[in-house]
Amino acid sequence: MNRSDHVTSISKAKVALSLDSRIFELILLPTEKCNFRCTYCYEDFSLGKMSASVRKGIKNLIQTRADSIRLLRLSWFGGEPLLATDVILDIAQFAQDALAKNDFIMTGGLTTNGYLLTEQTLRRLAEVNHRSFQITLDGDREQHNRTRIRADGRETFDTIWRNLHILGEMDEQFDVTLRIHISTDNQDSVKQLLDRINEELAPYGKFRIHFHRISNLGGSGGKTVSELSWNDYKRALIAIQSRTSLEASSEVALSEEGEICYASKPNSLLIRSDGRVGKCTVALSDPRNDVGVLAEDGTILFRDDRLRLWFDGYRDFDPGKLGCPLATLPELGSSSDSAPKRLDLALLDERRT
C-alpha cells in the first residue's frame, strides 16, 4: 500500500482536521481522584485536585491561542471530573469570556461516571456551553453494580439512572453518549439494559450508544477483567446492536472507518492535574506519555523526543498507528532529550508548516 492509499483509507479530510492548527483540543484532568472503584480501572488516583497555578497556566495558554484558533474543545477527564466542578466552571468561564473577545467557538464535554451529574450541575455546565457527556454503564442494575461500585463499596446504578432521567427531562439541549461495556459475562445483562434504554431514555432524543469491549489496561483493578477476544467481540456485537433503537457505534466500526485517535493529533493535548502534559488518557503511568510541563505563563516545556513518538503515524499515514499510537509506540531512545524545551503554543502554527 502506497502513501496515497493510506491517506484514502483514513480519509484525507480527517488527516487535514487532525493537523489544522485553528482547532485546539485540551483534555483536562481537574482531579485524578475518583468516587468510584470500578473493578477493572487502570488508574491509581495518586494525584488530587488541580492547583491554582496549573489553572492559571491553562487560562494563559487559552489566551495565547485565542486570536489564532477557530474552535476550542475543552474535554474533561479524570479520575472523576465532577469532584472538581469548581475547576471546570472556572476555566470554562474564562474560555467563554475569551471567545466573546475573539473570533472562535468553544465547546465542552465531560467523560463522567454520572453519579454527581445533578440538575444544578447540569444547568451550571450548560451556562458555559458544556453540553456533551460520556457516561459508562456495564449492563443492567445487578451487573453494573458488581463492577462499577463506589469507593465505599456501595452501589451506583440507581443514582446514575435517576440523573439520566433528570437530564432527559430538562429543557436544555444535551448530547449524551452511553458507553456500554461488553465482556464475556455481561451480554445478557447488556441486552436487558438496552431494552430499558429503549423504553425509558430513547424518547428524550438526547442519547446515543457506543459499545466498547472491556480490555486489560493494567492497574490493580484491571487484572479482574473478563475480556473477549476481538473476533468474539465482533460476533457478540451483531446480536447486541440489534437490540437498540438509538444511534449506535463501536470501536469496531470506528476502526473500519479509519478514525484518527486524539492522541495522534498535533492539535490535541492532555493536561494533568499537576501540570504535566501528555497525549493519552490511558497511558497515565507510561513515561512516554509525559511529553511536557505546563508553566504558569501558559507556555509548555516540551520533551521533543517523547512528543514526536505520538506522531509517528504521519510518516506513512499508517491507519493502525494513527488509530491507536499507544499500541505501536516505540521505546524511548537511549539518547533521549534530558532537558525539556520551552515552547509558546502560539508558535505551533509555524512549527507545523
Side-chain angles (χ1 to χ4, degrees), residues 34-38 79-83 85 110-119 121-122 133-137 144-145 148-164 166-167:
C34 190
N35 55 335
F36 278 25
R37 288 298 181 271
C38 301
E80 169 49 47
L82 290 178
L83 289 175
T85 305
L110 290 77
T111 297
T112 169
N113 58 40
Y115 195 87
L116 301 174
L117 203 58
T118 63
E119 181 175 358
T121 296
L122 284 163
F133 306 98
Q134 178 177 277
I135 299 168
T136 296
L137 297 169
H144 176 96
N145 285 334
R148 296 187 68 80
I149 56 178
R150 282 188 5 175
D152 61 6
R154 296 173 65 181
E155 299 177 346
T156 64
F157 183 89
D158 287 342
T159 297
I160 297 168
W161 197 255
R162 181 171 63 249
N163 290 343
L164 292 175
I166 290 171
L167 183 153

mmCIF file of all heavy atoms in Angstrom, residues 34-38 79-83 85 110-119 121-122 133-137 144-145 148-164 166-167:
data_model
loop_
_atom_site.group_PDB
_atom_site.id
_atom_site.type_symbol
_atom_site.label_atom_id
_atom_site.label_comp_id
_atom_site.label_asym_id
_atom_site.label_seq_id
_atom_site.Cartn_x
_atom_site.Cartn_y
_atom_site.Cartn_z
ATOM 1 N N CYS A 34 -11.163 9.789 42.420
ATOM 2 C CA CYS A 34 -12.443 9.291 41.925
ATOM 3 C C CYS A 34 -13.284 8.777 43.087
ATOM 4 O O CYS A 34 -12.752 8.224 44.061
ATOM 5 C CB CYS A 34 -12.222 8.174 40.894
ATOM 6 S SG CYS A 34 -13.740 7.688 40.023
ATOM 7 N N ASN A 35 -14.602 8.959 42.960
ATOM 8 C CA ASN A 35 -15.538 8.437 43.953
ATOM 9 C C ASN A 35 -15.957 7.007 43.660
ATOM 10 O O ASN A 35 -16.707 6.407 44.414
ATOM 11 C CB ASN A 35 -16.773 9.339 44.046
ATOM 12 C CG ASN A 35 -17.454 9.541 42.699
ATOM 13 O OD1 ASN A 35 -16.827 9.420 41.649
ATOM 14 N ND2 ASN A 35 -18.738 9.863 42.721
ATOM 15 N N PHE A 36 -15.466 6.441 42.531
ATOM 16 C CA PHE A 36 -15.733 5.050 42.180
ATOM 17 C C PHE A 36 -14.452 4.220 42.314
ATOM 18 O O PHE A 36 -13.351 4.759 42.291
ATOM 19 C CB PHE A 36 -16.209 4.938 40.723
ATOM 20 C CG PHE A 36 -17.668 5.219 40.508
ATOM 21 C CD1 PHE A 36 -18.395 6.024 41.373
ATOM 22 C CD2 PHE A 36 -18.331 4.701 39.396
ATOM 23 C CE1 PHE A 36 -19.735 6.297 41.157
ATOM 24 C CE2 PHE A 36 -19.664 4.962 39.168
ATOM 25 C CZ PHE A 36 -20.368 5.758 40.039
ATOM 26 N N ARG A 37 -14.653 2.913 42.431
ATOM 27 C CA ARG A 37 -13.551 1.960 42.339
ATOM 28 C C ARG A 37 -13.997 0.812 41.427
ATOM 29 O O ARG A 37 -14.254 -0.303 41.868
ATOM 30 C CB ARG A 37 -13.152 1.430 43.729
ATOM 31 C CG ARG A 37 -12.435 2.420 44.601
ATOM 32 C CD ARG A 37 -11.095 2.876 44.004
ATOM 33 N NE ARG A 37 -10.401 3.824 44.868
ATOM 34 C CZ ARG A 37 -10.564 5.141 44.814
ATOM 35 N NH1 ARG A 37 -11.410 5.672 43.937
ATOM 36 N NH2 ARG A 37 -9.904 5.927 45.627
ATOM 37 N N CYS A 38 -14.093 1.121 40.139
ATOM 38 C CA CYS A 38 -14.510 0.114 39.164
ATOM 39 C C CYS A 38 -13.502 -1.034 39.176
ATOM 40 O O CYS A 38 -12.290 -0.808 39.261
ATOM 41 C CB CYS A 38 -14.614 0.732 37.777
ATOM 42 S SG CYS A 38 -15.786 2.110 37.700
ATOM 43 N N GLY A 79 -9.578 10.272 36.856
ATOM 44 C CA GLY A 79 -10.496 10.471 37.967
ATOM 45 C C GLY A 79 -11.924 10.761 37.531
ATOM 46 O O GLY A 79 -12.346 10.483 36.424
ATOM 47 N N GLU A 80 -12.641 11.348 38.455
ATOM 48 C CA GLU A 80 -13.998 11.797 38.178
ATOM 49 C C GLU A 80 -13.992 13.321 38.155
ATOM 50 O O GLU A 80 -13.820 13.963 39.195
ATOM 51 C CB GLU A 80 -14.967 11.275 39.238
ATOM 52 C CG GLU A 80 -16.359 11.892 39.202
ATOM 53 C CD GLU A 80 -16.970 11.903 37.798
ATOM 54 O OE1 GLU A 80 -16.922 10.867 37.094
ATOM 55 O OE2 GLU A 80 -17.500 12.961 37.403
ATOM 56 N N PRO A 81 -14.159 13.939 36.982
ATOM 57 C CA PRO A 81 -14.025 15.389 36.878
ATOM 58 C C PRO A 81 -15.007 16.173 37.730
ATOM 59 O O PRO A 81 -14.690 17.287 38.174
ATOM 60 C CB PRO A 81 -14.233 15.652 35.375
ATOM 61 C CG PRO A 81 -14.920 14.437 34.852
ATOM 62 C CD PRO A 81 -14.423 13.299 35.677
ATOM 63 N N LEU A 82 -16.199 15.623 37.984
ATOM 64 C CA LEU A 82 -17.198 16.371 38.742
ATOM 65 C C LEU A 82 -16.880 16.442 40.231
ATOM 66 O O LEU A 82 -17.585 17.129 40.977
ATOM 67 C CB LEU A 82 -18.589 15.786 38.507
ATOM 68 C CG LEU A 82 -19.149 16.020 37.096
ATOM 69 C CD1 LEU A 82 -20.508 15.366 36.943
ATOM 70 C CD2 LEU A 82 -19.227 17.507 36.776
ATOM 71 N N LEU A 83 -15.823 15.785 40.673
ATOM 72 C CA LEU A 83 -15.334 16.020 42.035
ATOM 73 C C LEU A 83 -14.641 17.374 42.128
ATOM 74 O O LEU A 83 -14.344 17.845 43.226
ATOM 75 C CB LEU A 83 -14.351 14.912 42.449
ATOM 76 C CG LEU A 83 -14.952 13.536 42.719
ATOM 77 C CD1 LEU A 83 -13.836 12.524 42.990
ATOM 78 C CD2 LEU A 83 -15.919 13.571 43.899
ATOM 79 N N THR A 85 -15.832 20.282 40.224
ATOM 80 C CA THR A 85 -16.689 21.084 39.359
ATOM 81 C C THR A 85 -16.271 22.548 39.351
ATOM 82 O O THR A 85 -16.379 23.231 38.322
ATOM 83 C CB THR A 85 -18.157 20.960 39.806
ATOM 84 O OG1 THR A 85 -18.523 19.583 39.852
ATOM 85 C CG2 THR A 85 -19.087 21.679 38.851
ATOM 86 N N LEU A 110 -17.694 16.260 29.048
ATOM 87 C CA LEU A 110 -17.109 15.536 30.157
ATOM 88 C C LEU A 110 -17.239 14.029 29.955
ATOM 89 O O LEU A 110 -18.287 13.548 29.530
ATOM 90 C CB LEU A 110 -17.792 15.880 31.480
ATOM 91 C CG LEU A 110 -17.593 17.260 32.102
ATOM 92 C CD1 LEU A 110 -18.429 18.320 31.394
ATOM 93 C CD2 LEU A 110 -17.965 17.224 33.588
ATOM 94 N N THR A 111 -16.171 13.311 30.285
ATOM 95 C CA THR A 111 -16.256 11.872 30.499
ATOM 96 C C THR A 111 -16.439 11.681 31.991
ATOM 97 O O THR A 111 -15.536 11.944 32.784
ATOM 98 C CB THR A 111 -14.978 11.166 30.015
ATOM 99 O OG1 THR A 111 -14.838 11.360 28.602
ATOM 100 C CG2 THR A 111 -15.044 9.676 30.308
ATOM 101 N N THR A 112 -17.629 11.271 32.398
ATOM 102 C CA THR A 112 -18.001 11.229 33.805
ATOM 103 C C THR A 112 -18.728 9.933 34.119
ATOM 104 O O THR A 112 -19.364 9.335 33.244
ATOM 105 C CB THR A 112 -18.900 12.434 34.161
ATOM 106 O OG1 THR A 112 -19.463 12.260 35.474
ATOM 107 C CG2 THR A 112 -20.047 12.587 33.174
ATOM 108 N N ASN A 113 -18.652 9.502 35.371
ATOM 109 C CA ASN A 113 -19.413 8.313 35.751
ATOM 110 C C ASN A 113 -20.892 8.623 35.944
ATOM 111 O O ASN A 113 -21.706 7.720 36.110
ATOM 112 C CB ASN A 113 -18.817 7.629 36.986
ATOM 113 C CG ASN A 113 -18.730 8.540 38.201
ATOM 114 O OD1 ASN A 113 -19.619 9.331 38.484
ATOM 115 N ND2 ASN A 113 -17.621 8.424 38.943
ATOM 116 N N GLY A 114 -21.249 9.922 35.950
ATOM 117 C CA GLY A 114 -22.645 10.324 36.005
ATOM 118 C C GLY A 114 -23.252 10.384 37.381
ATOM 119 O O GLY A 114 -24.391 10.842 37.544
ATOM 120 N N TYR A 115 -22.509 9.975 38.400
ATOM 121 C CA TYR A 115 -23.077 9.889 39.749
ATOM 122 C C TYR A 115 -23.370 11.271 40.329
ATOM 123 O O TYR A 115 -24.321 11.442 41.100
ATOM 124 C CB TYR A 115 -22.102 9.128 40.652
ATOM 125 C CG TYR A 115 -22.705 8.653 41.957
ATOM 126 C CD1 TYR A 115 -23.370 7.423 42.025
ATOM 127 C CD2 TYR A 115 -22.614 9.412 43.125
ATOM 128 C CE1 TYR A 115 -23.922 6.963 43.207
ATOM 129 C CE2 TYR A 115 -23.160 8.960 44.319
ATOM 130 C CZ TYR A 115 -23.824 7.742 44.345
ATOM 131 O OH TYR A 115 -24.376 7.293 45.528
ATOM 132 N N LEU A 116 -22.571 12.260 39.976
ATOM 133 C CA LEU A 116 -22.720 13.614 40.522
ATOM 134 C C LEU A 116 -23.355 14.575 39.522
ATOM 135 O O LEU A 116 -23.348 15.792 39.743
ATOM 136 C CB LEU A 116 -21.340 14.147 40.940
ATOM 137 C CG LEU A 116 -20.594 13.322 41.988
ATOM 138 C CD1 LEU A 116 -19.189 13.870 42.203
ATOM 139 C CD2 LEU A 116 -21.362 13.290 43.311
ATOM 140 N N LEU A 117 -23.918 14.050 38.465
ATOM 141 C CA LEU A 117 -24.472 14.892 37.406
ATOM 142 C C LEU A 117 -25.908 15.294 37.757
ATOM 143 O O LEU A 117 -26.880 14.877 37.141
ATOM 144 C CB LEU A 117 -24.426 14.139 36.069
ATOM 145 C CG LEU A 117 -24.440 14.966 34.793
ATOM 146 C CD1 LEU A 117 -23.275 15.942 34.745
ATOM 147 C CD2 LEU A 117 -24.397 14.050 33.580
ATOM 148 N N THR A 118 -26.025 16.168 38.746
ATOM 149 C CA THR A 118 -27.320 16.617 39.239
ATOM 150 C C THR A 118 -27.893 17.718 38.352
ATOM 151 O O THR A 118 -27.200 18.278 37.489
ATOM 152 C CB THR A 118 -27.181 17.169 40.664
ATOM 153 O OG1 THR A 118 -26.317 18.334 40.628
ATOM 154 C CG2 THR A 118 -26.580 16.126 41.596
ATOM 155 N N GLU A 119 -29.146 18.067 38.568
ATOM 156 C CA GLU A 119 -29.781 19.118 37.764
ATOM 157 C C GLU A 119 -29.057 20.450 37.940
ATOM 158 O O GLU A 119 -28.827 21.171 36.960
ATOM 159 C CB GLU A 119 -31.254 19.272 38.155
ATOM 160 C CG GLU A 119 -31.965 20.336 37.342
ATOM 161 C CD GLU A 119 -33.454 20.426 37.639
ATOM 162 O OE1 GLU A 119 -33.947 19.617 38.462
ATOM 163 O OE2 GLU A 119 -34.117 21.296 37.051
ATOM 164 N N THR A 121 -25.908 20.987 38.697
ATOM 165 C CA THR A 121 -24.627 20.918 37.998
ATOM 166 C C THR A 121 -24.829 20.995 36.488
ATOM 167 O O THR A 121 -24.078 21.671 35.778
ATOM 168 C CB THR A 121 -23.892 19.626 38.369
ATOM 169 O OG1 THR A 121 -23.589 19.640 39.764
ATOM 170 C CG2 THR A 121 -22.600 19.483 37.583
ATOM 171 N N LEU A 122 -25.844 20.317 35.976
ATOM 172 C CA LEU A 122 -26.134 20.356 34.550
ATOM 173 C C LEU A 122 -26.438 21.767 34.079
ATOM 174 O O LEU A 122 -25.969 22.202 33.019
ATOM 175 C CB LEU A 122 -27.311 19.429 34.230
ATOM 176 C CG LEU A 122 -27.000 17.930 34.211
ATOM 177 C CD1 LEU A 122 -28.287 17.110 34.298
ATOM 178 C CD2 LEU A 122 -26.232 17.558 32.947
ATOM 179 N N PHE A 133 -21.695 14.713 27.136
ATOM 180 C CA PHE A 133 -21.273 13.823 28.217
ATOM 181 C C PHE A 133 -21.107 12.396 27.695
ATOM 182 O O PHE A 133 -21.874 11.948 26.840
ATOM 183 C CB PHE A 133 -22.304 13.815 29.352
ATOM 184 C CG PHE A 133 -22.644 15.180 29.872
ATOM 185 C CD1 PHE A 133 -23.774 15.836 29.426
ATOM 186 C CD2 PHE A 133 -21.814 15.820 30.773
ATOM 187 C CE1 PHE A 133 -24.089 17.101 29.883
ATOM 188 C CE2 PHE A 133 -22.109 17.085 31.232
ATOM 189 C CZ PHE A 133 -23.254 17.734 30.786
ATOM 190 N N GLN A 134 -20.096 11.718 28.217
ATOM 191 C CA GLN A 134 -19.973 10.271 28.011
ATOM 192 C C GLN A 134 -20.078 9.612 29.370
ATOM 193 O O GLN A 134 -19.318 9.926 30.293
ATOM 194 C CB GLN A 134 -18.647 9.903 27.357
ATOM 195 C CG GLN A 134 -18.492 8.390 27.191
ATOM 196 C CD GLN A 134 -17.225 7.987 26.480
ATOM 197 O OE1 GLN A 134 -17.164 7.989 25.271
ATOM 198 N NE2 GLN A 134 -16.193 7.644 27.246
ATOM 199 N N ILE A 135 -21.025 8.686 29.487
ATOM 200 C CA ILE A 135 -21.312 8.028 30.763
ATOM 201 C C ILE A 135 -21.329 6.523 30.522
ATOM 202 O O ILE A 135 -21.989 6.037 29.594
ATOM 203 C CB ILE A 135 -22.670 8.496 31.323
ATOM 204 C CG1 ILE A 135 -22.640 10.012 31.571
ATOM 205 C CG2 ILE A 135 -23.020 7.744 32.607
ATOM 206 C CD1 ILE A 135 -23.999 10.614 31.855
ATOM 207 N N THR A 136 -20.626 5.788 31.361
ATOM 208 C CA THR A 136 -20.474 4.346 31.161
ATOM 209 C C THR A 136 -21.474 3.552 31.985
ATOM 210 O O THR A 136 -21.710 3.843 33.163
ATOM 211 C CB THR A 136 -19.049 3.904 31.536
ATOM 212 O OG1 THR A 136 -18.124 4.525 30.642
ATOM 213 C CG2 THR A 136 -18.889 2.395 31.430
ATOM 214 N N LEU A 137 -22.028 2.522 31.357
ATOM 215 C CA LEU A 137 -22.865 1.533 32.028
ATOM 216 C C LEU A 137 -22.329 0.154 31.687
ATOM 217 O O LEU A 137 -21.929 -0.100 30.551
ATOM 218 C CB LEU A 137 -24.322 1.659 31.580
ATOM 219 C CG LEU A 137 -25.010 2.985 31.913
ATOM 220 C CD1 LEU A 137 -26.346 3.093 31.176
ATOM 221 C CD2 LEU A 137 -25.220 3.127 33.417
ATOM 222 N N HIS A 144 -24.173 -4.052 36.542
ATOM 223 C CA HIS A 144 -23.459 -2.783 36.688
ATOM 224 C C HIS A 144 -22.946 -2.613 38.118
ATOM 225 O O HIS A 144 -21.803 -2.185 38.341
ATOM 226 C CB HIS A 144 -24.398 -1.626 36.326
ATOM 227 C CG HIS A 144 -23.812 -0.268 36.532
ATOM 228 N ND1 HIS A 144 -23.226 0.458 35.517
ATOM 229 C CD2 HIS A 144 -23.710 0.503 37.643
ATOM 230 C CE1 HIS A 144 -22.795 1.617 35.986
ATOM 231 N NE2 HIS A 144 -23.082 1.662 37.276
ATOM 232 N N ASN A 145 -23.768 -2.955 39.080
ATOM 233 C CA ASN A 145 -23.398 -2.770 40.487
ATOM 234 C C ASN A 145 -22.328 -3.748 40.966
ATOM 235 O O ASN A 145 -21.799 -3.597 42.066
ATOM 236 C CB ASN A 145 -24.635 -2.886 41.381
ATOM 237 C CG ASN A 145 -25.507 -1.651 41.301
ATOM 238 O OD1 ASN A 145 -25.027 -0.561 40.999
ATOM 239 N ND2 ASN A 145 -26.795 -1.810 41.583
ATOM 240 N N ARG A 148 -19.056 -1.459 38.719
ATOM 241 C CA ARG A 148 -18.905 -0.004 38.864
ATOM 242 C C ARG A 148 -19.464 0.400 40.228
ATOM 243 O O ARG A 148 -20.624 0.822 40.350
ATOM 244 C CB ARG A 148 -19.594 0.745 37.715
ATOM 245 C CG ARG A 148 -18.941 0.445 36.373
ATOM 246 C CD ARG A 148 -19.481 1.301 35.258
ATOM 247 N NE ARG A 148 -19.133 2.706 35.368
ATOM 248 C CZ ARG A 148 -17.954 3.227 35.020
ATOM 249 N NH1 ARG A 148 -16.989 2.449 34.556
ATOM 250 N NH2 ARG A 148 -17.738 4.519 35.141
ATOM 251 N N ILE A 149 -18.609 0.257 41.228
ATOM 252 C CA ILE A 149 -19.019 0.490 42.611
ATOM 253 C C ILE A 149 -18.355 1.749 43.154
ATOM 254 O O ILE A 149 -17.331 2.207 42.659
ATOM 255 C CB ILE A 149 -18.657 -0.714 43.506
ATOM 256 C CG1 ILE A 149 -17.155 -1.020 43.410
ATOM 257 C CG2 ILE A 149 -19.481 -1.932 43.115
ATOM 258 C CD1 ILE A 149 -16.698 -2.145 44.291
ATOM 259 N N ARG A 150 -18.966 2.317 44.175
ATOM 260 C CA ARG A 150 -18.390 3.484 44.822
ATOM 261 C C ARG A 150 -17.140 3.091 45.599
ATOM 262 O O ARG A 150 -16.912 1.923 45.904
ATOM 263 C CB ARG A 150 -19.401 4.118 45.780
ATOM 264 C CG ARG A 150 -20.420 4.940 45.070
ATOM 265 C CD ARG A 150 -21.343 5.752 45.943
ATOM 266 N NE ARG A 150 -21.100 5.761 47.374
ATOM 267 C CZ ARG A 150 -21.782 6.521 48.220
ATOM 268 N NH1 ARG A 150 -22.751 7.301 47.768
ATOM 269 N NH2 ARG A 150 -21.535 6.493 49.505
ATOM 270 N N ALA A 151 -16.355 4.095 45.946
ATOM 271 C CA ALA A 151 -15.131 3.846 46.703
ATOM 272 C C ALA A 151 -15.437 3.210 48.062
ATOM 273 O O ALA A 151 -14.598 2.500 48.617
ATOM 274 C CB ALA A 151 -14.346 5.133 46.877
ATOM 275 N N ASP A 152 -16.631 3.469 48.594
ATOM 276 C CA ASP A 152 -17.019 2.875 49.876
ATOM 277 C C ASP A 152 -17.740 1.545 49.695
ATOM 278 O O ASP A 152 -18.261 0.979 50.658
ATOM 279 C CB ASP A 152 -17.885 3.846 50.676
ATOM 280 C CG ASP A 152 -19.186 4.223 49.967
ATOM 281 O OD1 ASP A 152 -19.479 3.647 48.892
ATOM 282 O OD2 ASP A 152 -19.912 5.093 50.473
ATOM 283 N N GLY A 153 -17.781 1.034 48.459
ATOM 284 C CA GLY A 153 -18.374 -0.275 48.183
ATOM 285 C C GLY A 153 -19.849 -0.262 47.867
ATOM 286 O O GLY A 153 -20.421 -1.311 47.555
ATOM 287 N N ARG A 154 -20.481 0.896 47.902
ATOM 288 C CA ARG A 154 -21.921 0.965 47.680
ATOM 289 C C ARG A 154 -22.262 0.954 46.183
ATOM 290 O O ARG A 154 -21.432 1.210 45.332
ATOM 291 C CB ARG A 154 -22.494 2.215 48.354
ATOM 292 C CG ARG A 154 -22.350 2.180 49.876
ATOM 293 C CD ARG A 154 -22.758 3.492 50.509
ATOM 294 N NE ARG A 154 -24.168 3.779 50.316
ATOM 295 C CZ ARG A 154 -24.764 4.894 50.759
ATOM 296 N NH1 ARG A 154 -24.047 5.813 51.412
ATOM 297 N NH2 ARG A 154 -26.040 5.104 50.550
ATOM 298 N N GLU A 155 -23.532 0.638 45.891
ATOM 299 C CA GLU A 155 -23.998 0.527 44.514
ATOM 300 C C GLU A 155 -24.166 1.902 43.875
ATOM 301 O O GLU A 155 -24.309 2.913 44.569
ATOM 302 C CB GLU A 155 -25.319 -0.244 44.484
ATOM 303 C CG GLU A 155 -25.193 -1.672 45.015
ATOM 304 C CD GLU A 155 -26.520 -2.408 45.056
ATOM 305 O OE1 GLU A 155 -27.587 -1.739 44.934
ATOM 306 O OE2 GLU A 155 -26.511 -3.646 45.206
ATOM 307 N N THR A 156 -24.187 1.932 42.521
ATOM 308 C CA THR A 156 -24.213 3.216 41.822
ATOM 309 C C THR A 156 -25.302 3.328 40.757
ATOM 310 O O THR A 156 -25.615 4.432 40.320
ATOM 311 C CB THR A 156 -22.852 3.470 41.132
ATOM 312 O OG1 THR A 156 -22.627 2.467 40.116
ATOM 313 C CG2 THR A 156 -21.715 3.450 42.133
ATOM 314 N N PHE A 157 -25.861 2.229 40.304
ATOM 315 C CA PHE A 157 -26.738 2.266 39.127
ATOM 316 C C PHE A 157 -27.937 3.178 39.309
ATOM 317 O O PHE A 157 -28.246 3.997 38.435
ATOM 318 C CB PHE A 157 -27.218 0.859 38.767
ATOM 319 C CG PHE A 157 -28.066 0.816 37.521
ATOM 320 C CD1 PHE A 157 -27.475 0.650 36.272
ATOM 321 C CD2 PHE A 157 -29.449 0.945 37.586
ATOM 322 C CE1 PHE A 157 -28.247 0.625 35.116
ATOM 323 C CE2 PHE A 157 -30.223 0.920 36.433
ATOM 324 C CZ PHE A 157 -29.623 0.760 35.195
ATOM 325 N N ASP A 158 -28.643 3.070 40.422
ATOM 326 C CA ASP A 158 -29.897 3.805 40.581
ATOM 327 C C ASP A 158 -29.674 5.316 40.559
ATOM 328 O O ASP A 158 -30.483 6.061 39.987
ATOM 329 C CB ASP A 158 -30.594 3.397 41.883
ATOM 330 C CG ASP A 158 -31.200 1.999 41.797
ATOM 331 O OD1 ASP A 158 -31.382 1.489 40.674
ATOM 332 O OD2 ASP A 158 -31.489 1.418 42.861
ATOM 333 N N THR A 159 -28.594 5.769 41.177
ATOM 334 C CA THR A 159 -28.308 7.209 41.173
ATOM 335 C C THR A 159 -27.986 7.691 39.762
ATOM 336 O O THR A 159 -28.473 8.744 39.326
ATOM 337 C CB THR A 159 -27.131 7.521 42.118
ATOM 338 O OG1 THR A 159 -27.501 7.174 43.458
ATOM 339 C CG2 THR A 159 -26.773 9.006 42.072
ATOM 340 N N ILE A 160 -27.174 6.941 39.041
ATOM 341 C CA ILE A 160 -26.849 7.319 37.664
ATOM 342 C C ILE A 160 -28.110 7.333 36.810
ATOM 343 O O ILE A 160 -28.340 8.267 36.031
ATOM 344 C CB ILE A 160 -25.809 6.349 37.070
ATOM 345 C CG1 ILE A 160 -24.495 6.415 37.844
ATOM 346 C CG2 ILE A 160 -25.567 6.651 35.584
ATOM 347 C CD1 ILE A 160 -23.525 5.297 37.501
ATOM 348 N N TRP A 161 -28.935 6.311 36.938
ATOM 349 C CA TRP A 161 -30.144 6.219 36.131
ATOM 350 C C TRP A 161 -31.091 7.376 36.427
ATOM 351 O O TRP A 161 -31.698 7.940 35.496
ATOM 352 C CB TRP A 161 -30.837 4.887 36.386
ATOM 353 C CG TRP A 161 -31.837 4.544 35.326
ATOM 354 C CD1 TRP A 161 -33.201 4.606 35.408
ATOM 355 C CD2 TRP A 161 -31.544 4.090 33.996
ATOM 356 N NE1 TRP A 161 -33.784 4.224 34.230
ATOM 357 C CE2 TRP A 161 -32.787 3.902 33.345
ATOM 358 C CE3 TRP A 161 -30.365 3.832 33.296
ATOM 359 C CZ2 TRP A 161 -32.873 3.469 32.018
ATOM 360 C CZ3 TRP A 161 -30.448 3.401 31.984
ATOM 361 C CH2 TRP A 161 -31.687 3.226 31.361
ATOM 362 N N ARG A 162 -31.215 7.751 37.695
ATOM 363 C CA ARG A 162 -32.053 8.899 38.064
ATOM 364 C C ARG A 162 -31.519 10.184 37.423
ATOM 365 O O ARG A 162 -32.278 10.999 36.892
ATOM 366 C CB ARG A 162 -32.096 9.050 39.584
ATOM 367 C CG ARG A 162 -32.969 10.208 40.045
ATOM 368 C CD ARG A 162 -33.161 10.200 41.549
ATOM 369 N NE ARG A 162 -31.897 10.380 42.265
ATOM 370 C CZ ARG A 162 -31.303 9.441 42.980
ATOM 371 N NH1 ARG A 162 -31.852 8.224 43.061
ATOM 372 N NH2 ARG A 162 -30.172 9.674 43.603
ATOM 373 N N ASN A 163 -30.187 10.342 37.435
ATOM 374 C CA ASN A 163 -29.595 11.538 36.829
ATOM 375 C C ASN A 163 -29.812 11.575 35.319
ATOM 376 O O ASN A 163 -29.996 12.651 34.734
ATOM 377 C CB ASN A 163 -28.103 11.605 37.151
ATOM 378 C CG ASN A 163 -27.833 11.912 38.610
ATOM 379 O OD1 ASN A 163 -28.719 12.381 39.327
ATOM 380 N ND2 ASN A 163 -26.617 11.651 39.054
ATOM 381 N N LEU A 164 -29.796 10.411 34.670
ATOM 382 C CA LEU A 164 -30.047 10.366 33.235
ATOM 383 C C LEU A 164 -31.475 10.798 32.918
ATOM 384 O O LEU A 164 -31.722 11.495 31.916
ATOM 385 C CB LEU A 164 -29.791 8.954 32.698
ATOM 386 C CG LEU A 164 -28.331 8.484 32.718
ATOM 387 C CD1 LEU A 164 -28.238 7.018 32.278
ATOM 388 C CD2 LEU A 164 -27.449 9.352 31.825
ATOM 389 N N ILE A 166 -33.237 12.885 34.822
ATOM 390 C CA ILE A 166 -33.266 14.330 35.075
ATOM 391 C C ILE A 166 -32.734 15.086 33.864
ATOM 392 O O ILE A 166 -33.325 16.071 33.399
ATOM 393 C CB ILE A 166 -32.440 14.669 36.328
ATOM 394 C CG1 ILE A 166 -33.157 14.147 37.587
ATOM 395 C CG2 ILE A 166 -32.193 16.174 36.442
ATOM 396 C CD1 ILE A 166 -32.321 14.239 38.856
ATOM 397 N N LEU A 167 -31.609 14.627 33.337
ATOM 398 C CA LEU A 167 -31.012 15.248 32.152
ATOM 399 C C LEU A 167 -31.991 15.203 30.976
ATOM 400 O O LEU A 167 -32.166 16.196 30.255
ATOM 401 C CB LEU A 167 -29.713 14.527 31.812
ATOM 402 C CG LEU A 167 -28.867 15.024 30.652
ATOM 403 C CD1 LEU A 167 -27.390 14.662 30.884
ATOM 404 C CD2 LEU A 167 -29.298 14.433 29.314
#
